[in-house]
Amino acid sequence: DSGVTQTPKHLITATGQRVTLRCSPRSGDLSVYWYQQSLDQGLQFLIQYYNGEERAKGNILERFSAQQFPDLHSELNLSSLELGDSALYFCASSAGRFYNSPLHFGNGTRLTVT
Amino acid sequence: QQPVQSPQAVILREGEDAVINCSSSKALYSVHWYRQKHGEAPVFLMILLKGGEQKGHDKISASFNEKKQQSSLYLTASQLSYSGTYFCGTHNSDQTGANNLFFGTGTRLTVIP
């Protein structure tokens, strides 16, 4: 168990809808990262937060947004959903914000857009 | 910015060795290695920092050649439990101030009895 909690585990919704994915990092970790993994694909970096502030952005669509709250949990909001957004969304956390901190991944939220 | 991994897939018999390579077109500060079993979350294996270090974790070790901008993961005397997809994640030298890892497309390793 990595200590990172993601909810919900599964989400099925229709095109055009909006969903919110939630992540609670490991106790003490200040950094939260979001990754998207499509079927049999690699991990695409979306966005990173450190102690409530956005630190880095990757290939995140404008329809997606995220935030990290004062209690350090994070939410990823996906709107105007398209079929191609169906994927496994991972949250990861790390103690620090620099390159020498290992990432600890949650079990992911599987999003299916129909 | 995404590193390139090779091979894409490999099948081993128990006890055999394997090498997975990860290379980047950009100068690297660090390389991370993770293993993901089917349907599960990626699990951290090790980090290598610039300086050409080598690390080991049981019978899995790795090297980082900063000048060549590449890292290799060595799996010796493979066990069935080594099966999974191995990802390298790289942190480029122009990403100071952030730890956003860019992962390779993965190497699927299958160990058979």
Side-chain angles (χ1 to χ4, degrees), chain A residues 35 37 55 97-99 103 106, chain B residues 32 34 36 41 97 99 101:
Chain A
Y35 284 87
Q37 186 174 43
R55 294 294 304 173
R97 58 179 170 144
F98 295 115
Y99 52 85
L103 271 60
Chain B
H32 294 217
Y34 294 79
Q36 182 180 30
N99 188 19
L101 284 180

Side-chain angles (χ1 to χ4, degrees), chain A residues 36 45-47 57-66 76-82 84-85 89:
Chain A
Q36 178 192 58
F45 171 69
L46 297 178
I47 198 164
K57 261 187 175 181
N59 302 319
I60 188 166
L61 300 171
E62 284 192 13
R63 300 183 285 108
F64 296 1
S65 65
L76 179 67
N77 301 297
L78 315 175
S79 61
S80 302
L81 285 168
E82 302 175 359
D85 296 329
Y89 290 84

Side-chain angles (χ1 to χ4, degrees), chain A residues 36-39 82-89 111-114:
Chain A
Q36 178 192 58
Q37 186 174 43
S38 300
L39 191 62
E82 302 175 359
L83 295 177
D85 296 329
S86 295
L88 193 51
Y89 290 84
L111 174 67
T112 303
V113 183
T114 61

Side-chain angles (χ1 to χ4, degrees), chain A residues 5-111:
Chain A
T5 304
Q6 287 188 252
T7 57
K9 285 185 70 173
H10 301 277
L11 204 48
I12 301 175
T13 189
T15 54
Q17 294 299 304
R18 173 189 169 95
V19 297
T20 298
L21 312 184
R22 182 187 169 102
C23 169
S24 293
R26 286 190 327 160
S27 176
D29 283 359
L30 299 179
S31 281
V32 169
Y33 313 76
W34 288 97
Y35 284 87
Q36 178 192 58
Q37 186 174 43
S38 300
L39 191 62
D40 290 332
Q41 296 295 309
L43 295 154
Q44 296 297 317
F45 171 69
L46 297 178
I47 198 164
Q48 178 203 0
Y49 281 86
Y50 176 78
N51 203 20
E53 291 188 8
E54 181 185 303
R55 294 294 304 173
K57 261 187 175 181
N59 302 319
I60 188 166
L61 300 171
E62 284 192 13
R63 300 183 285 108
F64 296 1
S65 65
Q67 54 183 325
Q68 186 180 28
F69 295 87
D71 66 352
L72 300 177
H73 90 272
S74 177
E75 293 181 355
L76 179 67
N77 301 297
L78 315 175
S79 61
S80 302
L81 285 168
E82 302 175 359
L83 295 177
D85 296 329
S86 295
L88 193 51
Y89 290 84
F90 283 108
C91 167
S93 72
S94 72
R97 58 179 170 144
F98 295 115
Y99 52 85
N100 57 350
S101 298
L103 271 60
H104 301 275
F105 286 82
N107 288 326
T109 292
R110 183 169 296 282
L111 174 67

